[in-house]
Amino acid sequence: MNQIAFNQQLSDKLNEVLNPTLYSTPGKGEITIVANEKNDLREYRIITENNKVVKVEDAYDAKHDADYDKMMDFLKDYR
């Protein structure tokens, strides 16, 4: 599987897990996750390389809440 297909698959699964609070969109080398509410400034970037998650960045250095924990738990269990 190439990196773009991996990112699309992971993004789709994240959307199943995180909606309606967070929304995921795939890119070439990263997956961007943003809050669905317009006034909620949260953005996480999941950096991927060689079909693996290598890093998670918090663009706004937001207070990590239950949604963040849910995302991280999912990523730990994702194969």
Side-chain angles (χ1 to χ4, degrees), residues 41-53:
L41 292 177
R42 284 188 289 159
E43 181 178 319
Y44 309 113
R45 293 189 190 104
I46 299 170
I47 311 301
T48 59
E49 189 176 291
N50 298 322
N51 294 345
K52 294 179 184 167
V53 173

Side-chain angles (χ1 to χ4, degrees), residues 58-77:
D58 184 344
Y60 286 99
D61 197 23
K63 180 180 177 188
H64 293 165
D65 57 8
D67 294 318
Y68 178 86
D69 294 340
K70 192 174 187 180
M71 177 182 73
M72 295 306 288
D73 287 344
F74 175 82
L75 291 173
K76 284 180 201 166
D77 294 336

